[in-house]
Amino acid sequence: MLGVLVWSVQTKLACELLSAAREIDQEVFALAINDDAQAESLAQKGAQVFRLNNQSLEIANTASIAHAISQVVNQLNPEYILLSSNRRGKELAGRLAQIINAGCLSDVRALVSSDGQIECVRNALGGATIAHQVIKTQQKLIAISANCYEVPSDQGGGQVQDISVKVEDSKLRLLSTQGKPSEGVDISSAEVVVAVGQGLENEELLETVNKIANQIGGIVGCTKPIATDRKWLGEERIIGLSGATCKPNVALLLGTSGQVQFSVGIRDADTIVAVDKDDQANVFTLADYYLVADLNDFLPKLSTSL
């Protein structure tokens, strides 16, 4: 039993999984389901791709996808299966692990080879600490967080070959889908992030925050309560355990208290600048530079000076 199988419905994440898989000294396989373009893209990255085309498979039906991938696993018999640790990927990981009787870890940030084993590096205790964990089962299922690995460059040499599975009739019928309203923002890839927290007391100041972000070439992000409780911004702008992990060159944090659930999503920024009126704010321990100031006074002055 040797080999690493990777799959994600999103091509960018599937490519990141290829980079993660290559940290494991075994042959790497990629799976593409009902996506010829993804299969070709992965092959351009040098992967041996298995293309599964079956229109009876609905990507939204995670149970059906889990059963299909389990059959691919049975045919290829890889030791490791890598999935993306997003919402669908986490659900799929749990379902698939149960079917193939594999140990499973999600929200993994890095894979490290140690004493002949692969250690999974992941946040633990709500992000308060980093854990190094090892899966002991014969087959190991790992869900990797987005943006933890680079997308490999095109190198050619990959091949695409078809694979088939038996798709059982599902008791579920997908009648329709309706996506969430989206601004098309990918905050996880931004080079400059301007993040606001509950210290921003006035929603009207968001206009100034957006102006500042535009002036410095950044994207506005937020802590979870700003999106889910106050509903000032969309959920795709959430940073932290409940949202995106960002690694910008510069992060400007405005009124974010520095709770660990947020900090784990931004602490890898090259330079962090924090502004808060509380001189004991936890976020100042995270920052390279900080300023104690009232945002109501500070933001208009900052915007005017840029």
Side-chain angles (χ1 to χ4, degrees), residues 29-238:
F29 310 106
L31 177 65
I33 300 178
N34 293 337
D35 193 336
D36 291 343
Q38 184 185 88
E40 293 298 332
S41 178
L42 292 169
Q44 286 297 316
K45 307 296 183 186
Q48 182 177 347
V49 184
F50 289 89
R51 178 174 53 197
L52 172 56
N53 283 340
N54 189 316
Q55 297 309 310
S56 297
L57 283 171
E58 293 281 358
I59 296 297
N61 188 340
T62 310
S64 180
I65 295 296
H67 280 282
I69 296 179
S70 72
Q71 294 177 63
V72 175
V73 169
N74 288 337
Q75 293 181 52
L76 301 180
N77 201 28
E79 182 178 0
Y80 293 89
I81 301 97
L82 304 188
L83 304 174
S84 53
S85 194
N86 51 13
R87 289 184 181 179
R88 176 172 289 142
K90 290 179 185 180
E91 179 186 353
L92 176 63
R95 289 181 180 273
L96 180 57
Q98 191 275 331
I99 295 171
I100 65 175
N101 195 30
C104 177
L105 288 172
S106 60
D107 295 328
V108 173
R109 302 174 57 191
L111 302 177
V112 178
S113 179
S114 177
D115 296 327
Q117 299 184 104
I118 296 298
E119 291 185 355
C120 298
V121 182
R122 58 195 298 270
N123 292 321
L125 302 177
T129 188
I130 301 297
H132 288 242
Q133 298 174 312
V134 174
I135 300 174
K136 296 292 189 178
T137 53
Q138 282 191 325
Q139 287 185 312
K140 304 161 181 65
L141 204 156
I142 303 170
I144 307 287
S145 297
N147 300 306
C148 291
Y149 284 89
E150 298 291 334
V151 173
S153 58
D154 288 351
Q155 60 188 53
Q159 296 181 335
V160 178
Q161 63 185 89
D162 292 321
I163 194 169
S164 61
V165 300
K166 181 180 179 181
V167 181
E168 299 179 357
D169 289 337
S170 173
K171 295 180 181 180
L172 299 176
R173 292 289 181 267
L174 180 64
L175 301 180
S176 65
T177 60
Q178 182 176 353
K180 288 185 177 181
S182 173
E183 304 172 70
V185 173
D186 182 12
I187 195 167
S188 62
S189 63
E191 295 186 359
V192 178
V193 170
V194 180
V196 296
Q198 294 189 89
L200 188 74
E201 300 169 354
N202 186 350
E203 184 179 5
E204 294 179 358
L205 279 175
L206 275 179
E207 183 177 346
T208 305
V209 172
N210 278 303
K211 182 180 178 182
I212 291 170
N214 290 332
Q215 288 171 312
I216 62 177
I219 294 179
V220 176
C222 63
T223 60
K224 183 179 179 182
I226 293 295
T228 59
D229 298 344
R230 298 185 183 179
K231 300 188 184 303
W232 289 358
L233 294 169
E235 292 186 16
E236 61 192 334
R237 295 183 183 269
I238 296 174

